[in-house]
Amino acid sequence: MRFTKWQGCGNDFVLVDCRKENVADFAATAKTFCDRHYGIGADGVLYVLPGENADFTMRIFNADGTEAQMCGNGIRCFAKYLYDFGFADGKEFSVATKAGVMRPKIITGENGAELVEVDMGEPILEGEKIPVKAQGKVIEYPLEVDGKNFNVTCVSMGNPHCVVFCDDIKTCGIEHLGTLFEHHEFFPERVNTEFAQIIDKTHVRMRVWERGAAITLACGTGSCATLAAGALTGRTEKKAVIILDGGQLTVEWKDNNRLYMTGDAELVFEGEVRGNL
């Protein structure tokens, strides 16, 4: 089975083009491929499928075999694959995901590098739709975790996010708290948790604990959720640079109520798996 390996801000993925390769079990293959000791190693696996009401379809499975509705870094890598390998007709196209149809666009950055801008859609703010066990908007909501009180702001970008603002990203306790947030009863479908430190109105330092993958170097949907939470609480402007462990993304919440994320995506290597990995 042929594959390509990609990374976006250090968030890494194995990509399998299912228009060419036969994958019998998406979840089991993802768990095998993502294993960093016995497999290829990745945060998740991206599967390319024929379009369903779109030019292409993307399915993404986390390292633990669970399927994610959407992944911001993943869709940039997905889009760059389609563009670089000549499958896309032009620099803008549509991709069907579990979170709806996304429209990535290849653009040129300030240094001439090719970046991917993605219309990530409108943020979902109603508690029951995120979902969380609260009604209405969940902004600065008091939540007890591990015997401590946190004010959380929750947003769905097709997948659920909980944003926690902290004074110092180095002492926020993500290594201990991440799994406690993920499996907290307040989040019926588990949750991705962003720990964010405001640098200024247009710059935010963020670390992320992703459901099904633990700490990762970056999260695109999490960056969008962080920007939305920052704007909703008056901490940031509606456009800011989100600085992650693996790089940075620019996110803008435009007047049409849609969030746009821009960042790079890089091919790491190509390979082939023979027999059972």
Side-chain angles (χ1 to χ4, degrees):
M1 182 186 299
R2 298 288 304 177
F3 68 89
T4 52
K5 175 76 181 291
W6 296 81
Q7 67 87 14
C9 292
N11 202 186
D12 61 339
F13 306 91
V14 173
L15 184 148
V16 178
D17 194 332
C18 294
R19 300 171 304 169
K20 303 178 181 181
E21 307 290 346
N22 180 39
V23 180
D25 187 327
F26 286 170
T29 298
K31 290 177 70 174
T32 301
F33 279 12
C34 288
D35 191 297
R36 295 192 184 277
H37 298 287
Y38 299 102
I40 301 166
D43 293 322
V45 175
L46 307 171
Y47 296 108
V48 183
L49 296 159
E52 299 175 4
N53 301 316
D55 297 322
F56 306 94
T57 295
M58 178 182 83
R59 293 185 67 182
I60 176 169
F61 284 74
N62 296 314
D64 67 351
T66 57
E67 185 170 11
Q69 295 99 324
M70 178 55 187
C71 176
N73 290 319
I75 197 170
R76 292 202 321 280
C77 293
F78 188 94
K80 203 65 164 51
Y81 166 77
L82 295 172
Y83 179 73
D84 286 356
F85 283 74
F87 298 119
D89 184 16
K91 292 189 173 184
E92 186 173 1
F93 42 91
S94 57
V95 178
T97 74
K98 293 287 186 179
V101 176
M102 306 294 165
R103 297 198 64 87
K105 180 180 180 181
I106 309 299
I107 64 173
T108 302
E110 292 181 359
N111 60 356
E114 287 184 333
L115 304 177
V116 184
E117 177 190 84
V118 185
D119 175 354
M120 299 290 286
E122 298 185 11
I124 297 169
L125 305 176
E126 294 77 19
E128 61 273 19
K129 295 181 180 179
I130 293 173
V132 299
K133 292 183 178 179
Q135 301 294 315
K137 292 182 179 180
V138 183
I139 301 173
E140 298 282 77
Y141 185 92
L143 184 70
E144 182 177 327
V145 179
D146 197 30
K148 299 177 182 178
N149 293 317
F150 295 87
N151 291 326
V152 304
T153 299
C154 298
V155 180
S156 172
M157 293 303 305
N159 52 358
H161 291 272
C162 171
V163 182
V164 182
F165 291 102
C166 55
D167 294 329
D168 186 352
I169 199 73
K170 295 179 181 178
T171 60
C172 67
I174 184 174
E175 295 83 359
H176 171 65
L177 292 170
T179 188
L180 300 180
F181 272 90
E182 179 184 355
H183 296 282
H184 195 286
E185 63 181 4
F186 187 65
F187 307 106
E189 295 181 9
R190 297 188 293 156
V191 76
N192 304 282
T193 307
E194 288 75 38
F195 295 85
Q197 176 187 341
I198 301 299
I199 297 174
D200 57 41
K201 284 279 193 175
T202 57
H203 294 82
V204 182
R205 176 72 173 96
M206 186 268 276
R207 298 193 71 198
V208 60
W209 180 285
E210 294 194 59
R211 61 175 181 172
I215 296 172
T216 61
L217 295 179
C219 179
T221 54
S223 295
C224 292
T226 298
L227 184 281
L232 286 168
T233 59
R235 289 180 168 90
T236 69
E237 303 291 347
K238 284 197 166 185
K239 181 177 181 181
V241 175
I242 311 299
I243 304 165
L244 306 149
D245 285 353
Q248 63 183 40
L249 296 170
T250 300
V251 182
E252 183 175 5
W253 193 357
K254 295 189 178 181
D255 291 340
N256 61 2
N257 198 36
R258 302 177 76 84
L259 286 153
Y260 293 78
M261 172 198 65
T262 302
D264 63 358
E266 181 181 47
L267 174 66
V268 181
F269 60 85
E270 301 177 55
E272 183 177 0
V273 174
R274 296 183 179 180
N276 295 323
L277 194 66

